[in-house]
Amino acid sequence: MAIFFGSSLFFTLLYRFINPPVTPIMIIRLFDQIKEDQALRLSKDWVDLEDISPKMVQAVVAGEDNLFLTHHGFDWKAIERARQHNENGKRIHGGSTISQQTAKNVFLWPNRSYIRKGFEVYFTFLIETLWPKERIMEVYLNIIETGKGIYGVEMAAQTYYHKSAKKLSSSQAAMITTILPAPRKRNPSHPSSYMYRQQARIQNLMRKIGPVHFH
């Protein structure tokens, strides 16, 4: 346990300053590609937060975590809503915040077990304690899955819109956000009617919350 806590603290501190070179989900997806006899693909291009359009930051806060700037890692009301709806057998988005998603993607594996969830709580607490909000957002936007073998909003912008993430428009940022719950099933280049509805919902929320300011 001493080794686990020491190493987890070390890597959390390290990743505050050093960009994670690879994440567990990236490795898992590569093995999935091998098992499915697909061409190996791991496309990512890390960029600093200032090189990502503020519209992209605004879109993920609007679409994924309205209280990102004010919570300390957990949105308890969203978690309770998710629990109640799940008990009723309804399909909804989970109650995970951007901080929780970042902790899961950087340090853990995609699994819904209680053990994994416990580790997620622990690493969320660590990054919320040791990283500023800007760093959490920067890491999140660079490691999230945005397509089959595609990671981060820079590579998503290049793949789907042939431009850098810094030049994404409000509508494009909102459309990329619509794919995050199911990045291997949705494609901004060929949006479904559901994706268009979600894009409109996110853009409406973006107008309500306004620009995201970290200071």
Side-chain angles (χ1 to χ4, degrees):
M1 289 187 66
I3 293 173
F4 167 74
F5 286 119
S7 61
S8 61
L9 186 62
F10 170 79
F11 279 106
T12 305
L13 281 169
L14 180 69
Y15 288 158
R16 174 174 176 170
F17 305 102
I18 304 297
N19 300 331
V22 70
T23 64
I25 188 64
M26 294 177 187
I27 297 172
I28 290 170
R29 295 294 186 239
L30 286 175
F31 278 104
D32 289 342
Q33 291 168 11
I34 292 172
K35 285 192 295 183
E36 296 169 7
D37 198 27
Q38 299 176 350
L40 294 183
R41 183 180 188 186
L42 200 170
S43 300
K44 58 188 181 74
D45 188 359
W46 190 287
V47 290
D48 294 334
L49 189 60
E50 55 263 32
D51 292 321
I52 297 173
S53 170
K55 297 296 184 183
M56 190 70 242
V57 176
Q58 192 177 356
V60 294
V61 170
E64 294 288 298
D65 187 359
N66 296 169
L67 302 179
F68 174 69
L69 290 179
T70 57
H71 66 59
H72 299 290
F74 306 95
D75 183 344
W76 298 111
K77 290 183 179 179
I79 291 172
E80 177 60 20
R81 286 196 301 270
R83 185 191 67 79
Q84 291 177 358
H85 280 269
N86 288 336
E87 285 182 351
N88 293 328
K90 298 177 181 178
R91 294 181 60 190
I92 64 164
H93 295 306
S96 294
T97 63
I98 284 174
S99 300
Q100 287 176 271
Q101 293 178 51
T102 304
K104 177 188 70 175
N105 287 330
V106 172
F107 298 105
L108 302 170
W109 59 96
N111 184 291
R112 292 186 178 274
S113 71
Y114 287 110
I115 294 175
R116 204 300 313 275
K117 204 66 179 177
F119 281 122
E120 181 183 307
V121 170
Y122 170 70
F123 279 106
T124 299
F125 170 77
L126 281 187
I127 66 172
E128 277 281 344
T129 303
L130 300 174
W131 297 2
K133 288 287 188 178
E134 297 98 314
R135 181 57 175 170
I136 295 174
M137 179 61 73
E138 181 176 77
V139 173
Y140 172 76
L141 290 176
N142 276 286
I143 54 92
I144 49 174
E145 198 171 14
T146 51
K148 293 182 179 180
I150 304 172
Y151 302 91
V153 297
E154 174 66 21
M155 189 53 64
Q158 293 180 26
T159 301
Y160 302 124
Y161 299 116
H162 310 292
K163 60 172 62 176
S164 69
K166 192 169 187 176
K167 297 181 179 179
L168 287 169
S169 67
S170 175
S171 62
Q172 291 167 341
M175 183 59 76
I176 289 176
T177 303
T178 69
I179 74 173
L180 300 183
R184 293 185 295 162
K185 295 180 180 179
R186 301 175 186 173
N187 186 337
S189 299
H190 305 285
S192 64
S193 58
Y194 173 79
M195 290 172 65
Y196 278 121
R197 291 195 299 272
Q198 289 297 97
Q199 179 192 39
R201 181 186 68 84
I202 291 169
Q203 285 189 273
N204 184 47
L205 285 171
M206 289 170 69
R207 287 189 287 270
K208 288 181 178 179
I209 68 172
V212 177
H213 299 293
F214 292 101
H215 298 291

